[in-house]
Amino acid sequence: MGLYAFNCSEKLQTVNIRRGTCGHSVLSLGSMKTQWIWNKEKTKIVEPLDYENVIAQRKTQIYSDPLRDLLMFPMEDISISVINRQRRTVQSTVPEDAEERAQSLFVKECIKTYSTDWHVVNYKYEDFSGDFRMLPCKSLRPEKIPNHVFEIDEDCEKDEDSSSLCSQKGGVIRQGWLHKANVNSTITVTMKVFKRRYFYLTQLPDGSYILNSYKDEKNSKESKGCIYLDACIDVVQCPKMRRHAFELKMLDKYSHYLAAETEQEMEEWLITLKKIIQINTDSLVQEKKETVETAQDDETSSQGKAENIMASLERSMHPELMKYGRETEQLNKLSRGDGRQNLFSFDSEVQRLDFSGIEPDIKPFEEKCNKRFQVNCHDLTFNVLGQVGDNAKGPPTNVEPFFISLALFDIKNNCKISADFHIDLNPPSVREMLWGASTQPASDGNAKGSSPESVIHGIAESHLRYIKQGIFSVTNPHPEIFLVARIEKVLQGNITHCAEPYIKNSDPTKTAQKVYRTAKQVCSRLGQYRMPFAWAARPIFKDTQGSLDLDGRFSPFYKQDSSKLSNEDILKLLSEYKKPEKTKLQIIPGQLNITVECVPVDLSNCITSSYVPLKPFEKNCQNITVEVEEFVPEMTKYCYPFTIYRNHLYVYPLQLKYDSQKTFAKARNIAVCMEFRDSDESDGGPLKCIYGKPAGSVFTTNAYAVVSHHNQNPEFYDEVKIELPIHLHQKHHVLFTFYHVSCEISTKGTTKKQDTVETPVGFAWFPLLKDGRIITFEQQLPVSANLPPGYLNLNDGESRRQSNVDIKWVDGAKPLLKIKSHLESTIYTQDLHVHKFFHHCQLVQSGWKEVPGELIKYLKCLHAMEIQVMIQFLPVILMQLFRVLTNMTPEDDVPINCTMVLLHIVSKCHEEGLDSYLRSFIKYSFRPEKPSAPQAQLIHETLATTMIAILKQSADFLAINKLLKYSWFFFEIIVKSMATYLLEENKIKLPRGQRFPEAYHHVLHSLLLAIIPHVTIRYAEIPDESRNVNYSLASFLKRCFTLMDRGFVFNLINDYISGFSPKDPKVLAEYKFEFLQTICNHEHYIPLNLPMAFAKPKLQRVQDFFSFAVDRLTSVDSNLEYSLSDEYCKHHFLVGLLLRETSIALQDNYEIRYTAISVIKNLLIKHAFDTRYQHKNQQAKIAQLYLPFVGLLLENIQRLAGRDTLYSCAAMPNSASRDEFACGFTSPTNRGSLSADKDTAYVSFQNGHGIKREDSRGSLVPEGMTGFPDQGSTGENTRQSSTRSSISQYNRLDQYEIRSLLMCYLYIVKMISEDTLLTYWNKVSPQELINILILLEVCLFHFRYTGKRNIARVHDAWLSRHFGVDRKSQTMPALRNRSGVMQARLQHLSSLESSFTLNHSSATTEADIFHQALLEGNTATEVSLTVLDTISFFTQCFKVFYRCKQSIPYGLAVFCLTTRMRNTAFFKTI
């Protein structure tokens, strides 16, 4: 279905987006040729002010304002910082001259990425750009919540004391068995006669405590003794008397000795008794204090009478008495101000502080920290031991050298998951057997000690030769991972023959001597050749969580089978090893002491697999630990972007089939020598880049595989690790040379000549690169008998037939050698599409004439690149795409295709749950570059234009939907590009209107218009996409406030909100408020609203002058904006827009109301806790900004108040003047004439209407008043259709809504300045003023403290509804006294569960109830104090105005307050 083919009858009649403020022409969207006009029910559009123009015109006013911080954006609000790249290593892993040596574009960009520091755009006040949960303040909740005492709780406690604690059985505090010592005058204490008694600790009706003892649990019998605890002064332990004994010390120096049966019971009794003693002590102190105060009151009784006289005279007109009254009121006001709390601190949202949904902090790319463990190799011994060389006095050792290699094998996934870790545990005397008289060559061809010691990454090479500690890492731990140890020895012969002395050892001494003599001869002749000997294994993990099996041990040594040497054979053997009954392996007695332990956090002296030292690292340290490289599974979830330089190639010779060759006479003991070369010429030599084994050089020129004795088809398991050069070319290759090794030993004890040890029997090679990429798949290579120059030209059959190179192939050039390789490189990729794309870009950069359509072809091919490669090289690929986006644009389709590739990458990252890497890229790695082409556009310009083009195409809906869903990425890129452009080009100092060209404003406006129909029309088809783009657009526009013309951004917001209508479905209303909430969370939201006075138009000022002459005689500010007028919404655009939408939402159903109210309340909470605006004058100015919110509440007062609290002046015409209204009130001097009886009181007015007060509760209801609207509807929250009815759903608000709205109202009333409040009272109509005061009573009603018992009952009722509690448990206890009656009267309140912070579960404790009561009590106290402050200020102000005959209806107000609030529980408490 086409994008614009939707039925728009409910939304749009025709299409006509009104012209933007930047003066651009009307834009068409795709195939939509008509223009938009909104339907009749659309919200009235109020054009925002030209913000930048207003700021410029009122510059003097703003700078002279003492609160200019509320009006101005701060200087240097945005900056770019360069953050040093955090490294684990002491030095950079990138070689110093790497970038100069690199020739490939891809390699260059990788090296640049790993060596470049992070470039971050800093927003100085970004911590304030979220909601209140993200504020940087220490804590939104008070550290210590005051504990207030309320009558309702005291009454409940007294009720419990009198009804249940008056009897011993009901008032039992503690009971249990104790042993009591009978101590009298004839029996001394030391004799200690104890009897077992059952004790009851009871509180009597007078509050005292008694401890009674009985023979058993039945206390119906006569007590055997009692102890009155009001005479007890202390309780102490006395272990000398008896175990678990304690002493009760009485006032008369007499003691009672008791003993518990267990130590725990003794502790519990001691705690309880000490609490009672403390209570008694406090009571005595209080009684003494009251006695002293009573005496003082008697002395000052005469003064009190005089004060009462003064208080009565205060009502007179005497100026001195009036001054006294004002001073007293001022003191009361200051007293009320002590210890005040922030009302929002006790709000349920603040108390819960739910951080779900908040994006975590964006961190830079870092190496993935997998499960790591350390392997410490200590000792390897077999049962053939003896004294070797000069070690005659030392302990016996192995009589020949053994070599260990460790690696991890994964049986579950049937693969090897780590590189080999080679260890040499031979003692020095055994190692000398390999070198003889120190003249034998080392494995690198240099005589030992003949070359100066080299340094590798600052570490002496000698410190790296005998490393015995390694750190392995595992990405996916599970119990089927084994650590396998392979044991090798110097080549000697058949494995069975060599293992026989170790298996059948009848005479250890003679066997050891024999083995030693043979080994000495073999080592001096064949020291560089190895043969397999044995293997062992042990499990590593206990479970899939990575718990190390620290107690695990290695299996016995199993003799290595010469026909089962490969890794695949080891995996099969490990599977059998798990089933001992199937294992038929021959065991070689011996012990391998290797321990596994967790890696300490602060492990020092460790190096990477490339031998780069890690932090911390000590100089000249010899005890070094090396990280063993992990072969991470090629799965997307285990991939992460590379951050360090690593360039290793692992080569594995697997098998040589020489059984059918006829070229060589002897080719049985075949050794494979591997070299890495960069030339195939005759003078070319091997490169010294192969990692050596222990005891040799760290880097060597060759490496040998193990030798299988008398085997013409040998298998190999060796791993050769190569450090690849930075630049690879076509001549780089691995050369295999095969030797036949003579193992014969002379019977006379002397070795044969050296030149007879090895004989070349073939050569093979494989080039590293094929089509520019490194080859890593398994290969089978032919073997040649000779090695002529230019042999690399003979790689395939065609080249062999056409070549003139004189070469002789073994067995007819059949593939005889099987090998494989594994690449662990962060600068080379094996993906064909990525390689070709970068290669083409390199050709274009070098001046190669581009073929039309070639670049687009390679861009489209990038959609097929491997997801693993995409993630690993994410920063490199993305940066190159952005370069192509702006630089290589000779064709119009290039930007769109480039953006489509970006979209593909972004969507894949989201699908794999790796979108955090995209955020890290934008914040740290992405740095916009200047286009090389002179007329090329910048990234933010090109990308925005391309997004418009994609959104307009009606064919590719998949791309459109992806762009909408992941639009946040493109908006964030645009924002950083804009910010970088302003800062690096120094445009930030220009006026905002000149920072970006007009054409870019046009592009952003077009982009907004292109997005609107996808949100407002396609929301049902693409809910996720429309919601995401709605939020992303809001975040983008919020950031634009910091960067560009703010008036232009206002217009964009206005255009977007204009796309919504009051008739929209619920989901669109949610979108609208999510959008507004995001915008209003801007860190400089207050300055954006310009909380300053705006002069009224001249005509309006004249009208105000004649209408309100009283303003001239008072301090009324005629410019006060207190209603939601068009002028207010224009001057204070964002807050006006939010309040207007909230006003509409309040007439909607519950979900929409809830969303709107939450946005307003959360915004006010943020203001209240914003550390930048904590001064009272700043808070007052912010509160004044929300003054129209009070009018919004007045419009809905019937929904906020019920029958018991609502006062209506329905009979009073709204147009009545203040003077006419005031004439109807009785003079204050005639107050006594008001007739009132016990049940009903009437106050008569000249207009004939009366106010009726019923039941002495102060509830004012006009006579003849019609009924109220329906109090609620059970079906309110259900939507009958997808489109909301235009009929206002004027149902009563629920408890959460009312409390939230009233809390916002109280914040405004509390924080607003008294002058502004007075001005507001003078400006509103009489009816509105009375309703404003009624709102205060509504606040008292809804925030009144209901007591701990009621809080617990409300929670129990919640549990019964949600957990199916038995109906019997819901039955309320019988009401026996006044407290119970009051509880019943409060049950008509709505459920308080929305304000609860309890953890609703069946295990809520008494402490939870107490904490909730504490919060409710503090809320009630703060509300009452705020109301009392307002009432006090009201009465003080209008006393004076009334006497000056300039008052608004003071008489009615005072009567209302005194009659309605006289019985309020809050004020009784205060």
Side-chain angles (χ1 to χ4, degrees), residues 41-270:
E41 298 189 14
K42 182 185 173 299
T43 308
K44 182 180 178 181
I45 297 174
V46 177
E47 294 289 344
L49 50 73
D50 187 345
Y51 190 92
E52 306 304 332
N53 189 31
V54 171
I55 292 294
Q57 292 177 356
R58 296 173 176 262
K59 186 175 182 180
T60 304
Q61 178 186 352
I62 292 174
Y63 275 91
S64 60
D65 195 318
L67 298 178
R68 54 182 170 271
D69 289 345
L70 296 177
L71 302 172
M72 299 170 55
F73 273 42
M75 301 296 292
E76 299 180 355
D77 189 32
I78 182 174
S79 62
I80 288 183
S81 62
V82 179
I83 302 176
N84 292 332
R85 180 180 288 266
Q86 298 298 316
R87 303 183 180 93
R88 293 195 308 138
T89 53
V90 175
Q91 62 196 55
S92 175
T93 55
V94 179
E96 294 181 0
D97 58 346
E99 200 164 350
E100 289 75 16
R101 284 189 284 165
Q103 297 182 20
S104 166
L105 175 63
F106 184 80
V107 175
K108 285 183 178 180
E109 294 302 326
C110 289
I111 291 173
K112 186 189 301 184
T113 301
Y114 307 145
S115 56
T116 305
D117 291 327
W118 309 123
H119 286 74
V120 179
V121 175
N122 296 314
Y123 299 91
K124 189 174 182 180
Y125 296 92
E126 187 173 14
D127 291 342
F128 297 91
S129 64
D131 63 10
F132 70 90
R133 296 171 295 174
M134 304 298 292
L135 288 173
C137 54
K138 294 181 179 178
S139 176
L140 303 179
R141 295 170 288 192
E143 295 181 0
K144 185 177 181 181
I145 302 178
N147 188 9
H148 302 287
V149 179
F150 293 86
E151 291 181 359
I152 188 172
D153 289 334
E154 291 184 330
D155 293 341
C156 291
E157 292 175 1
K158 291 178 181 178
D159 179 40
E160 291 174 357
D161 291 343
S162 59
S163 62
S164 62
L165 298 181
C166 57
S167 64
Q168 288 185 357
K169 184 174 182 180
V172 173
I173 296 175
R174 182 170 181 79
Q175 58 184 335
W177 288 102
L178 290 174
H179 295 267
K180 179 182 178 183
N182 294 327
V183 182
N184 52 36
S185 57
T186 59
I187 304 176
T188 63
V189 177
T190 56
M191 296 181 66
K192 303 185 294 294
V193 178
F194 283 86
K195 292 187 177 180
R196 192 168 184 260
R197 294 285 184 261
Y198 197 85
F199 280 81
Y200 285 93
L201 176 58
T202 311
Q203 185 179 21
L204 299 179
D206 60 355
S208 62
Y209 296 87
I210 186 172
L211 192 60
N212 291 306
S213 61
Y214 300 87
K215 279 191 174 181
D216 52 27
E217 297 93 332
K218 300 178 181 180
N219 59 359
S220 58
K221 299 181 180 179
E222 181 181 358
S223 172
K224 294 297 181 181
C226 62
I227 304 172
Y228 290 94
L229 297 181
D230 52 358
C232 181
I233 59 174
D234 196 10
V235 55
V236 296
Q237 296 186 46
C238 47
K240 294 183 179 180
M241 291 283 295
R242 180 190 175 104
R243 289 187 64 186
H244 313 314
F246 53 92
E247 174 186 2
L248 295 175
K249 295 183 179 181
M250 313 304 286
L251 284 172
D252 53 0
K253 298 183 180 180
Y254 185 81
S255 296
H256 294 277
Y257 297 94
L258 303 173
E261 295 185 343
T262 64
E263 183 177 0
Q264 181 179 357
E265 292 181 0
M266 178 191 69
E267 294 292 340
E268 292 173 354
W269 277 102
L270 287 175

Side-chain angles (χ1 to χ4, degrees), residues 1014-1034:
H1014 294 284
V1015 176
T1016 58
I1017 298 177
R1018 300 186 63 206
Y1019 64 90
E1021 176 194 354
I1022 49 171
D1024 293 338
E1025 290 81 354
S1026 57
R1027 182 179 294 275
N1028 287 0
V1029 75
N1030 178 71
Y1031 175 76
S1032 302
L1033 180 62

Side-chain angles (χ1 to χ4, degrees), residues 491 493-495 532 561-565 654-661 666-672 706-716 738-741 743 761:
L491 177 60
N494 185 272
I495 297 177
D561 190 340
S562 59
S563 62
K564 297 179 180 180
L565 297 180
L654 300 178
Q655 187 181 29
L656 178 66
K657 294 182 67 67
Y658 247 34
D659 54 347
S660 60
Q661 67 86 21
K666 279 190 176 182
R668 293 180 298 177
N669 308 325
I670 300 175
V672 181
V706 293
V707 180
S708 296
H709 187 258
H710 283 195
N711 191 345
Q712 291 184 320
N713 296 324
E715 290 185 344
F716 311 97
F738 306 102
Y739 295 99
H740 167 76
V741 180
C743 299
V761 291

Side-chain angles (χ1 to χ4, degrees), residues 760-877:
V761 291
F763 303 91
W765 57 89
F766 83 92
L768 254 63
L769 300 180
K770 182 178 183 180
D771 298 328
R773 295 180 301 131
I774 297 179
I775 302 171
T776 57
F777 51 85
E778 190 175 287
Q779 302 180 69
Q780 291 188 334
L781 306 175
V783 178
S784 67
N786 61 335
L787 195 65
Y791 54 84
L792 288 179
N793 297 324
L794 307 174
N795 291 331
D796 52 37
E798 185 66 25
S799 61
R800 292 169 199 156
R801 287 191 294 271
Q802 298 178 0
S803 176
N804 296 323
V805 178
D806 184 15
I807 190 168
K808 183 179 180 181
W809 296 102
V810 177
D811 202 4
K814 291 181 180 179
L816 304 179
L817 175 65
K818 182 191 294 186
I819 65 160
K820 73 174 182 177
S821 57
H822 175 76
L823 181 66
E824 287 288 336
S825 175
T826 59
I827 65 171
Y828 283 103
T829 177
Q830 298 173 265
D831 188 278
L832 176 63
H833 307 294
V834 174
H835 168 73
K836 286 187 174 181
F837 169 69
F838 274 87
H839 181 65
H840 179 79
C841 293
Q842 186 172 9
L843 291 177
V844 174
Q845 290 180 9
S846 63
W848 178 71
K849 187 177 180 180
E850 186 175 358
V851 179
E854 194 76 7
L855 179 57
I856 295 177
K857 181 185 72 173
Y858 290 122
L859 283 170
K860 290 182 177 180
C861 288
L862 284 179
H863 289 268
M865 64 178 160
E866 296 179 7
I867 182 66
Q868 296 90 345
V869 175
M870 178 195 302
I871 298 300
Q872 291 166 346
F873 296 100
L874 185 67
V876 179
I877 296 173

Side-chain angles (χ1 to χ4, degrees), residues 1294-1338:
D1294 77 348
Q1295 184 72 3
Y1296 170 82
E1297 296 173 289
I1298 294 175
R1299 287 171 68 99
S1300 297
L1301 290 171
L1302 294 179
M1303 194 169 285
C1304 297
Y1305 170 68
L1306 289 167
Y1307 167 79
I1308 297 172
V1309 171
K1310 177 182 177 181
M1311 293 303 175
I1312 201 169
S1313 67
E1314 292 183 346
D1315 291 341
T1316 305
L1317 193 59
L1318 177 59
T1319 303
Y1320 176 61
W1321 286 339
N1322 276 282
K1323 281 184 172 290
V1324 297
S1325 67
Q1327 176 181 344
E1328 289 175 329
L1329 179 61
I1330 297 302
N1331 288 342
I1332 287 172
L1333 299 176
I1334 288 176
L1335 278 179
L1336 296 176
E1337 183 183 4
V1338 174

Side-chain angles (χ1 to χ4, degrees), residues 680-729:
D680 60 351
E681 301 300 326
S682 57
D683 57 348
L687 302 179
K688 192 176 181 180
C689 60
I690 297 178
Y691 283 79
K693 295 182 179 179
S697 296
V698 175
F699 288 100
T700 69
T701 58
N702 53 49
Y704 283 86
V706 293
V707 180
S708 296
H709 187 258
H710 283 195
N711 191 345
Q712 291 184 320
N713 296 324
E715 290 185 344
F716 311 97
Y717 59 77
D718 298 84
E719 175 184 273
V720 178
K721 180 179 177 183
I722 301 173
E723 181 74 27
L724 292 177
I726 293 174
H727 173 63
L728 289 176
H729 52 72

